[in-house]
Amino acid sequence: MNAPDTALRSRTAHTPAPTRTPDPTPAVRQADGMAVASFVLGLVGLLAMNLLLGPASIVLAALALRRGTTRPGRARLGLALGALDLVVLAWLVNADQTWSWSIG
């Protein structure tokens, strides 16, 4: 063995092996999907069909948080948007005295 070969071997011997993060389980991936869906439904619910999309957003957010999503911020935002959907609906019903509303 010559000296450069030993120096190379000693450098590579001390470098740690790259750690691989385990893939999330199917239940966690499903919970992540629920968190994203909750956010999207809550956001769309502000503009249309808030009577249906608001409660759906709330339920999906609660399920995602209960199942341990890796995106709890997005689930909480979906929960807040779902509640805001219902607040907007209540405000519009109070303003128009009807369950149906339209812009213009």
Side-chain angles (χ1 to χ4, degrees):
M1 267 194 194
N2 49 10
D5 191 30
T6 331
L8 179 65
R9 203 178 289 170
S10 67
R11 264 188 271 147
T12 58
H14 294 295
T15 58
T19 57
R20 183 171 173 237
T21 58
D23 292 336
T25 63
V28 172
R29 277 188 299 208
Q30 188 178 26
D32 290 347
M34 286 182 189
V36 172
S38 170
F39 171 72
V40 170
L41 290 178
L43 198 59
V44 172
L46 287 173
L47 302 174
M49 296 191 320
N50 45 7
L51 180 63
L52 298 174
L53 297 180
S57 176
I58 292 170
V59 168
L60 284 174
L63 285 173
L65 289 171
R66 185 169 181 97
R67 291 184 182 183
T69 182
T70 58
R71 300 175 177 177
R74 191 158 297 158
R76 287 187 193 106
L77 189 56
L79 186 66
L81 285 172
L84 187 60
D85 289 348
L86 296 178
V87 168
V88 167
L89 177 68
W91 180 76
L92 289 171
V93 166
N94 191 26
D96 290 343
Q97 301 299 321
T98 183
W99 283 96
S100 62
W101 60 276
S102 63
I103 298 174

